[in-house]
Amino acid sequence: MKKMVSVVMTAMLITIPVTSAFAGTEPGTVKERAQVLASKLLSVTGASGVQYAIMDKGSIVLSDNAGVKDKASKAPITKDTMFGIGSVSKMHVSAAAMILADAYEIDIDEPLTTYIEDFKMADKRYKKITPRMLMNHSSGLYGTHLPNSSLFDDNDTIVHDELLNKLQSEHLKANPGEFSVYCNDGFDLLEIMIERVSGMSYKEFLAKYVSKPLNLSSTKTPLDQFDRERLAKTYFPTMDQALPIENSNTLGSGGLYSTAEDLTKFADMLIGNRTDVLSKQSAKAMQSPEYKRGIWVSEKTNAFNYGLGWDTVSLPEFDDYGITALSKGGDLVTYHGSLITIPKHNISMAVLSSGGSSVFTTTFATKVLLEYLKDQGHIKEILPEKTFKPSLKVNMPSELLSYAGLYVTRDSTINLEIKNGEIDLPAQNGGLIPAQTYVYTGNGQFKSKDGSATVSFDKQTNGKTYVKINAYTNNLGLGQSMMVFYAYQKLDSNPLQPATKKVWENRNGKSYYRVDEKITSTFYLAMPLLSKTISVDMDHGYANGTKIVNENQAVNVVQIPITIGRDVFDLNFYKEGQTEYLKIDGFSYINEDAIQPIDEGKDSTFSIPSNGQVRWYKIDEKSANRVMNVKTPVSGGFAVYDKNGMSVNLSKVTNNHSVVLPEGGMIVFGGKAGDVFKIELKNK
């Protein structure tokens, strides 16, 4: 899901001018200032609507919105409009786990196997994983089982139901507790644990022990019965009409819907003010600096510092005021949101949007909260944003040349060169930190030309050497934020035997397409979310950041704390007959060489095979620019992509079964096993 957000963010950075959020005459009240910034948020992110609320000492003191709930009718957003909250849902499942701990039903430091007896992995270290490690992201799990997790108008629980089975054949990327790196699967395991211990479904537990006592009438799961018309409509750049409802069926890691007001009520419990639901001791424990338990960057100020569930237990934009603020962001394909709470003042703010990114909703919430804190007299003034001096290059000590060499990040390797005291690095953080040259400025640091970003090297206690980036970003003119993270991990070369090298040379540059994703998946909006292009570093023996071990397998070597080392994978190739497939996280992808052009004849018929896998086709010059009419079964659907992988038509969204085929594009058909599709191709 983040992959799509990164692509959109990068495109926006190229096209959108950066201006001050409060340019021109500043309005007087906090409400008016928030509206100015909300309008800015919509204009720079392309979001269709945003909703926000502030609670102060148990009372809603600001509740407002901008944009529309529905572009077609121009219906306004109200305080009762619901949004998907994405990973903010992790706070709910973490709180639910702590409620069980309060009741002495679980001990968060006992092995997870105590509560999920059938939890097993192909790595004996799994027995050391505890519920605490699931909440602070230090379990060592690879990351996320994304396929079939986010579906249009479909609340199939296949991801939840198959997670334990999928994990049985998988390994860990690190010792449990060694370091924290963002991990969705941990929170979905918490969901399963809560069900096993409580004897009820997670949605029932959440309703009974969280939503009902807190009066969260607008907090629901995709499995609940509620008025779907309350949900804000969502959109995709290549399609005119509203998308169907996005159901994130990984409830623990990202599946809830809510409103900004409901989230602030929930946050009041997280602060420790609703001891009838969650004890003060547990609320305080969730706010603890859990990230310090393992390997981490040395900087105290950072946008990333995990608590239990929380992304950040000390948000840097508030540190200069002596205020501790906690935050959690969330992103689905279409919905985004942020929650910030300030325990000292009993103040919380929630922001939800249809479109955009949690990076920007968090920046928005930060700016508005600072305005509110000033208005209430908690701070005297709002400090100006950090400014930087242009970098002054100095002579670099020769010993720093030892840091040059092969480095890995998720999905790729780079050969990092240090020439004349300079380092070139690709764009980082979805393009918010651009590709640029960093020059040596002394004290082991290389800085960007404008001085806003610093690169250095850390050799950590695990023996790994990391490239560290400390950067301030402007966030499309909405406001400044800072982050420190490890971007790359140093590697040794892995020479390949000639026979192995030849096999991987044949795969280099080949694309593989997922065949077991439901046709209702939101990932069909963009083909890159459903494909993996193999990139082999022949000189060093790696493919897509994994270490090649034989002709058909490459294993993860990425052990990067914080965020960059998330969602890693192994590559496993196998054949069925003469067709080669790639398996990642238990899901299969077909080699592009096995995908045939769509039949250019006038009429054709085919069916979904008995294994239920989707069928991919190429659009060659014979079928390009012709009109394809499809007689589609009720349970089936299809998607057509242009040569750049963007959707031209997704029938489950548009209900359009006639489309002009773009040259060089692709088509995919999916549905239930045995579903029959009848296709007619004709000239325009």
Side-chain angles (χ1 to χ4, degrees):
M1 297 180 192
K2 295 284 187 180
K3 184 175 180 181
M4 180 178 287
V5 173
S6 295
V7 170
V8 173
M9 284 168 58
T10 301
M12 289 189 301
L13 286 168
I14 295 171
T15 59
I16 295 172
V18 174
T19 58
S20 170
F22 289 132
T25 303
E26 294 184 356
T29 68
V30 174
K31 180 181 177 69
E32 289 169 340
R33 291 189 175 213
Q35 267 294 305
V36 171
L37 189 57
S39 296
K40 177 75 173 179
L41 177 69
L42 297 183
S43 69
V44 301
T45 65
S48 56
V50 60
Q51 177 194 70
Y52 49 95
I54 296 176
M55 176 175 278
D56 189 344
K57 297 180 180 64
S59 299
I60 300 292
V61 295
L62 175 64
S63 183
D64 211 343
N65 58 78
V68 295
K69 175 186 173 184
D70 183 346
K71 287 183 179 180
S73 67
K74 301 191 184 305
I77 294 169
T78 71
K79 66 183 182 65
D80 297 316
T81 303
M82 296 167 63
F83 295 74
I85 67 172
S87 287
V88 180
S89 305
K90 290 179 174 64
M91 297 310 304
H92 295 73
V93 77
S94 297
M98 298 305 287
I99 288 170
L100 288 178
D102 282 342
Y104 301 102
E105 295 289 334
I106 67 166
D107 181 331
I108 66 171
D109 292 312
E110 282 292 309
L112 184 62
T113 52
T114 305
Y115 311 110
I116 310 177
E117 294 181 1
D118 50 338
F119 169 51
K120 293 178 171 57
M121 297 185 71
D123 187 322
K124 62 183 180 181
R125 295 176 293 176
Y126 82 92
K127 296 177 182 179
K128 297 180 180 179
I129 296 173
T130 65
R132 179 189 297 275
M133 295 173 188
L134 301 181
M135 288 186 278
N136 68 20
H137 302 277
S138 71
S139 64
L141 294 165
Y142 268 27
T144 309
H145 284 77
L146 279 178
N148 297 314
S149 61
S150 182
L151 308 175
F152 284 132
D153 280 339
D154 184 348
N155 57 11
D156 190 341
T157 59
I158 184 172
V159 178
H160 167 278
D161 300 341
E162 293 186 352
L163 180 58
L164 292 177
N165 183 53
K166 288 276 194 282
L167 289 172
Q168 285 185 11
S169 61
E170 297 178 12
H171 293 78
L172 298 176
K173 62 187 169 193
N175 294 322
E178 184 177 350
F179 60 81
S180 293
V181 57
Y182 202 86
C183 177
N184 284 306
D185 281 349
F187 295 85
D188 294 322
L189 282 174
L190 280 178
E191 176 190 341
I192 294 172
M193 180 195 73
I194 289 163
E195 292 179 329
R196 297 293 177 83
V197 173
S198 70
M200 61 180 70
S201 71
Y202 175 61
K203 80 177 184 69
E204 292 170 334
F205 184 94
L206 198 65
K208 182 175 181 179
Y209 293 104
V210 179
S211 293
K212 185 176 180 180
L214 295 178
N215 192 28
L216 307 182
S217 59
S218 299
T219 300
K220 304 293 181 181
T221 78
L223 301 176
D224 287 312
Q225 297 297 318
F226 67 96
D227 181 7
R228 261 58 177 180
E229 289 301 312
R230 290 185 58 192
L231 288 165
K233 302 290 187 184
T234 58
Y235 301 86
F236 193 70
T238 62
M239 298 180 185
D240 295 329
Q241 68 270 61
L243 301 174
I245 295 167
E246 179 181 2
N247 291 331
S248 178
N249 296 307
T250 48
L251 306 186
S253 64
L256 302 188
Y257 305 108
S258 194
T259 63
E261 289 194 7
D262 256 22
L263 282 179
T264 60
K265 293 178 187 177
F266 175 69
D268 205 40
M269 177 197 72
L270 297 176
I271 290 175
N273 293 333
R274 290 298 303 270
T275 54
D276 57 319
V277 182
L278 181 71
S279 71
K280 274 190 177 293
Q281 180 181 359
S282 287
K284 192 69 175 175
M286 292 177 72
Q287 300 169 24
S288 63
E290 290 285 318
Y291 66 98
K292 291 183 178 180
R293 294 174 177 267
I295 296 166
W296 204 259
V297 294
S298 59
E299 284 80 357
K300 180 181 178 181
T301 300
N302 192 3
F304 309 112
N305 40 74
Y306 298 133
L308 295 179
W310 291 106
D311 287 343
T312 309
V313 294
S314 183
L315 198 60
E317 287 72 30
F318 294 85
D319 289 347
D320 289 340
Y321 303 92
I323 294 173
T324 298
L326 302 95
S327 72
K328 181 73 192 84
D331 292 284
L332 300 177
V333 175
T334 61
Y335 289 117
H336 312 273
S338 301
L339 176 65
I340 299 178
T341 188
I342 303 173
K344 178 181 178 181
H345 297 301
N346 288 314
I347 295 172
S348 297
M349 181 171 185
V351 184
L352 300 172
S353 69
S354 47
S357 165
S358 65
V359 171
F360 306 130
T361 54
T362 299
T363 304
F364 170 84
T366 298
K367 296 279 282 189
V368 175
L369 271 176
L370 287 173
E371 293 286 342
Y372 183 74
L373 290 171
K374 179 184 175 184
D375 184 71
Q376 296 299 302
H378 297 304
I379 61 176
K380 291 183 179 180
E381 60 180 351
I382 297 176
L383 300 174
E385 294 183 347
K386 306 286 186 188
T387 57
F388 308 93
K389 295 180 180 179
S391 297
L392 179 63
K393 185 178 178 182
V394 301
N395 290 331
M396 185 191 77
S398 60
E399 56 263 29
L400 289 178
L401 291 172
S402 65
Y403 287 112
L406 179 68
Y407 284 80
V408 68
T409 190
R410 184 189 180 277
D411 207 34
S412 66
T413 54
I414 65 167
N415 186 32
L416 189 150
E417 296 182 330
I418 305 176
K419 292 183 177 180
N420 302 317
E422 297 182 357
I423 296 173
D424 290 324
L425 288 181
Q428 307 290 326
N429 197 33
L432 288 175
I433 304 171
Q436 58 191 325
T437 298
Y438 299 81
V439 300
Y440 187 71
T441 59
N443 299 317
Q445 296 181 337
F446 299 77
K447 291 192 175 184
S448 59
K449 182 179 180 180
D450 65 0
S452 66
T454 302
V455 169
S456 58
F457 298 91
D458 264 6
K459 187 167 184 179
Q460 270 288 359
T461 55
N462 61 355
K464 308 293 184 186
T465 296
Y466 298 103
V467 174
K468 181 171 68 175
I469 297 179
N470 185 325
Y472 285 81
T473 60
N474 182 272
N475 299 337
L476 303 182
L478 293 169
Q480 190 180 72
S481 62
M482 71 84 59
M483 65 199 75
V484 188
F485 60 97
Y486 289 134
Y488 299 95
Q489 168 192 326
K490 205 170 194 297
L491 292 179
D492 294 323
S493 188
N494 175 43
L496 301 178
Q497 294 296 320
T500 301
K501 187 173 184 178
K502 184 177 180 180
V503 171
W504 284 89
E505 281 178 337
N506 291 332
R507 293 187 182 121
N508 191 30
K510 297 285 186 184
S511 292
Y512 292 72
Y513 297 86
R514 196 179 300 164
V515 294
D516 39 20
E517 186 81 2
K518 293 189 69 174
I519 198 62
T520 52
S521 173
T522 62
F523 290 2
Y524 284 106
L525 287 169
M527 198 166 60
L529 296 172
L530 298 160
S531 63
K532 175 69 70 177
T533 299
I534 302 302
S535 177
V536 185
D537 185 339
M538 297 295 180
D539 294 334
H540 301 103
Y542 292 86
N544 296 82
T546 61
K547 183 178 181 179
I548 297 171
V549 296
N550 57 43
E551 293 180 2
N552 292 311
Q553 185 182 29
V555 299
N556 171 65
V557 291
V558 175
Q559 293 186 331
I560 305 178
I562 310 177
T563 60
I564 301 301
R566 62 177 291 178
D567 300 340
V568 297
F569 50 84
D570 300 331
L571 300 176
N572 295 284
F573 294 88
Y574 66 98
K575 281 193 173 182
E576 291 184 0
Q578 297 301 309
T579 301
E580 184 180 63
Y581 291 85
L582 165 63
K583 183 160 283 190
I584 300 175
D585 294 339
F587 298 91
S588 295
Y589 299 70
I590 191 171
N591 189 316
E592 65 176 36
D593 291 342
I595 299 175
Q596 300 300 310
I598 192 76
D599 188 347
E600 74 273 12
K602 182 178 179 182
D603 300 299
S604 60
T605 301
F606 66 85
S607 61
I608 299 298
S610 58
N611 60 13
Q613 292 184 343
V614 302
R615 298 186 62 162
W616 288 90
Y617 292 93
K618 297 174 182 175
I619 301 171
D620 62 11
E621 66 276 4
K622 295 180 180 178
S623 54
N625 299 311
R626 300 184 73 190
V627 178
M628 182 179 73
N629 296 312
V630 184
K631 187 174 182 180
T632 310
V634 173
S635 55
F638 67 94
V640 178
Y641 303 96
D642 63 20
K643 63 182 179 181
N644 297 315
M646 295 303 291
S647 54
V648 172
N649 184 61
L650 177 53
S651 67
K652 285 293 184 182
V653 171
T654 65
N655 202 31
N656 181 12
H657 300 271
S658 179
V659 60
V660 178
L661 300 181
E663 186 171 355
M666 300 277 287
I667 313 171
V668 60
F669 298 88
K672 294 181 179 178
D675 275 352
V676 176
F677 292 81
K678 295 182 179 180
I679 300 172
E680 176 193 52
L681 276 183
K682 63 181 183 180
N683 296 327
K684 288 194 288 185

